[in-house]
Amino acid sequence: MAARRSRIPATKYPVERFTLDNGLRVVLTPDRSAPVIGVAVVYDVGIRSEPEGRTGFAHLFEHLMFQGSENLEKLAHFRHVQGAGGTFNGSTHLDYTDYFETLPSNALERALFLEADRMRGPRLTEENLRNQVDVVKEEIRVNVLNRPYGGFPWLTLPPVMFDTFPNAHDGYGSFDDLESATVADAADFFRRYYASGNAVLAVSGDIDVAEATELVTRHFGDVPARPAPKRPDFTEPELTAERRTSYTDALAPLPAVAGAWRVPDPVTDFAGYLPYVVLAEVLTDGDASRLVERLVQRDRTVTSLGGYLGFMGDPFDVRDPTALLLQAHLPPGGDVDKVLRTIDEELDRLATDGLTDGELARTQARMATHLLRDTDAVLGRALQMAVLEQQRGEPGLLNELPRLVGDVTEDQVRAAAATLRPERRAAIEVIAGGAR
C-alpha cells in the first residue's frame, strides 16, 4: 500500500529583488492586508567570523549598533521606533547578525533612515564600548553562568564536535576577551564586515513597490560602497569515532545529555539536507513522535526531549558545518548510557522497518503549520527572506519550503536515520551538581 502523502498548502508571497550601486541587496515583499511593515537588515557576519582572542565580538558589536549612529545620538533609535508605535531588536547567529523593526506602514521612511544611518557608521566611543561590555557580561551571567543548564548544548557541544576555532569557540565570549576589546577593534570589525556589499535589506508588508524602491534608493544609495569580505572556509572534517565528554553544572537539578551528528551542507546539498530536518521532527515533535513515545512515555528514562537542526535551532538559516541535535533531561539518578543506547535502537528500527502508516504525513503537516505560522507576520517574512537572499540568493524559497518538506519521502527519512551512527556522534553529559 502506498504511503499516505500530506497535502501541504503553499504561499505566494510576491518577491521583488534589486541591488544598489553600492552592493546592497534589497528584497521587497508587499502585503497590503494590514497597515504594518517589517524591516530587516542582515549582515553576513556572525559568531563563526570572530577572530581568535576576540570571542563574543560579533554579539558585542550587535549591542554597539544600538548606541547611536552618524546622525543620531545614543538611544535615538529606540525613541524614534517606539515613538512611531513600533518595536525593534537585533540578534547574533552563527552565520549572520540581524537588526529589525515592526512599525505602522506610515513609518517606513523612518525605519529606512534609521537603518541606513547606522550602516554608514555607529558611534564607536570608549564610553559606549565599556558600557556595552558590561551589559554583555551581565547577559552572560544571567543566561549562562547563573542559570541551570546555561549554554547547554549550544555553547557546550560545539567544542566536543568540532576542532577549529570558528566552529568550536564560545560565541558569548570570555570575560577576558570582552574586556580587552578596543574601539580600534570595533572600527576594524565594522569596516570589514558591515559593508553595504555584505548586507541584505528586506521590507515586508503594506508597501507600494515603486515608492519603497525610491525610498530605499534615497536613504541607502549614498552609503559608501565597500565590498563584501571573502568568506573564510569553515570546513570541518567528519567524525570517525564517537566523541563524548561531561561536566558538572553546580545549578542543574537533574542530569542531561545532548548528542549531535553532522548533516549534509544545507546550502549546496539542500535536497540531501531536508530529510534530516524532517527526521528530527519524526523523532521528537509531539507526544506521538518516536523518541518521546519511547523514552518519555514508555521507558520513562527521560523527563523531556527535543530535536532540531542547527546549534541555535535554525534549520533554514545556517551554513555548513552544522548538525542534527537531540537533547534530553533525565530523572534523578538517570542512566545516560541507557538513553543513548535507546536512541541508537530507535534510529536502527526506523532505518530498518520504516515509518508507520500516516507517521510521515502527520509530521510534515505539523512542520508546514509551523513554517506558515512563523512567516505569517510581516517581520518573520522579512527576516527569513533576507537570510535566504544572503545565503542562497533565493528569497522566494520561502514560498517553497512547506512543499519541499512535504516532498520528502519515507525512503529519504530512513536513509538519513541510517547515517546517525554512534561512531559519528558527539555527545555531552551534564552531571547534576544542584540536586538535593
Side-chain angles (χ1 to χ4, degrees):
M1 183 174 66
R4 190 187 311 164
R5 298 297 296 273
S6 55
R7 297 182 62 184
I8 304 297
T11 55
K12 296 181 180 180
Y13 298 124
V15 179
E16 299 285 341
R17 303 167 64 213
F18 59 94
T19 303
L20 298 182
D21 291 342
N22 57 16
L24 176 68
R25 287 175 284 168
V26 182
V27 178
L28 304 177
T29 174
D31 177 358
R32 311 307 292 267
S33 60
V36 181
I37 55 166
V39 177
V41 178
V42 174
Y43 294 89
D44 198 348
V45 57
I47 290 168
R48 281 200 259 236
S49 299
E50 295 170 344
E52 292 193 50
R54 287 293 176 265
T55 58
F57 206 87
H59 177 232
L60 173 62
F61 198 86
E62 175 216 318
H63 280 245
L64 291 173
M65 287 285 279
F66 289 96
Q67 302 305 301
S69 53
E70 186 173 90
N71 293 296
L72 295 170
E73 71 279 9
K74 188 172 183 174
L75 302 182
H77 191 107
F78 300 57
R79 188 171 63 252
H80 285 296
V81 173
Q82 292 173 337
T87 59
F88 65 93
N89 212 330
S91 58
T92 307
H93 302 253
L94 291 177
D95 296 303
Y96 66 94
T97 306
D98 55 26
Y99 303 87
F100 46 88
E101 296 86 17
T102 301
L103 288 154
S105 55
N106 62 4
L108 171 61
E109 185 167 15
R110 178 179 300 212
L112 296 176
F113 165 76
L114 293 171
E115 289 297 349
D117 203 59
R118 63 178 166 188
M119 186 178 288
R120 291 187 184 88
R123 294 202 176 190
L124 302 176
T125 67
E126 185 67 24
E127 178 186 3
N128 284 344
L129 177 61
R130 299 274 69 87
N131 172 267
Q132 291 310 302
V133 165
D134 288 341
V135 170
V136 170
K137 286 167 61 180
E138 185 61 22
E139 187 175 328
I140 294 170
R141 292 187 186 100
V142 170
N143 292 336
V144 180
L145 300 179
N146 295 323
R147 173 178 291 186
Y149 313 104
F152 170 79
W154 77 277
L155 292 179
T156 55
L157 190 51
V160 183
M161 169 163 269
F162 299 124
D163 294 321
T164 65
F165 174 82
N167 297 314
H169 77 276
D170 180 350
Y172 246 143
S174 73
F175 282 11
D176 286 344
D177 283 357
L178 290 168
E179 289 166 353
S180 64
T182 67
V183 172
D185 292 333
D188 180 67
F189 195 83
F190 175 77
R191 282 192 299 270
R192 181 183 300 270
Y193 295 112
Y194 278 71
S196 53
N198 206 37
V200 174
L201 164 69
V203 183
S204 174
D206 185 21
I207 58 171
D208 175 82
V209 170
E211 179 187 8
T213 300
E214 191 277 325
L215 289 173
V216 168
T217 304
R218 180 192 308 171
H219 289 284
F220 287 89
D222 63 351
V223 173
R226 299 199 312 279
K230 182 179 179 180
R231 192 169 184 275
D233 180 6
F234 296 134
T235 302
E236 189 95 21
E238 286 270 4
L239 297 186
T240 56
E242 184 179 19
R243 294 183 180 181
R244 187 168 162 186
T245 190
S246 63
Y247 69 97
T248 299
D249 184 335
L251 300 176
L254 298 171
V257 65
W261 297 259
R262 288 283 298 278
V263 296
D265 188 317
V267 176
T268 64
D269 188 13
F270 193 49
Y273 173 78
L274 273 175
Y276 291 86
V277 182
V278 177
L279 173 61
E281 302 299 310
V282 167
L283 293 172
T284 65
D285 186 33
D287 290 342
S289 61
R290 289 287 176 117
L291 294 180
V292 173
E293 192 278 330
R294 173 73 187 275
L295 291 166
V296 179
Q297 297 176 355
R298 192 198 316 174
D299 295 354
R300 300 194 176 185
T301 50
V302 308
T303 58
S304 63
L305 181 76
Y308 46 92
L309 271 290
F311 287 92
M312 302 178 79
D314 43 8
F316 299 119
D317 57 3
V318 67
R319 293 185 173 116
D320 193 62
T322 189
L324 184 153
L325 282 79
L326 298 174
Q327 66 179 79
H329 291 79
L330 284 66
D335 187 339
V336 166
D337 289 328
K338 183 177 181 180
V339 170
L340 292 176
R341 283 196 306 270
T342 305
I343 289 173
D344 293 336
E345 290 172 11
E346 288 298 318
L347 289 169
D348 286 341
R349 189 165 69 89
L350 196 159
T352 303
D353 300 338
L355 290 89
T356 60
D357 183 44
E359 184 177 8
L360 180 59
R362 179 182 67 242
T363 300
Q364 290 168 320
R366 287 169 67 99
M367 294 178 70
T369 298
H370 295 323
L371 286 167
L372 295 169
R373 181 193 62 201
D374 290 346
T375 56
D376 183 58
V378 291
L379 180 59
R381 209 174 308 156
L383 283 166
Q384 189 71 69
M385 284 196 177
V387 177
L388 290 171
E389 168 64 37
Q390 182 187 83
Q391 297 183 352
R392 304 166 184 270
E394 294 183 81
L397 183 63
L398 182 72
N399 289 319
E400 301 298 318
L401 286 177
R403 178 187 61 79
L404 292 171
V405 164
D407 286 345
V408 171
T409 67
E410 177 180 346
D411 286 345
Q412 289 176 305
V413 175
R414 292 175 64 178
T419 70
L420 304 190
R421 306 299 304 162
E423 62 270 18
R424 296 187 62 243
R425 178 172 59 213
I428 189 160
E429 175 186 354
V430 179
I431 299 170
R436 295 186 179 182

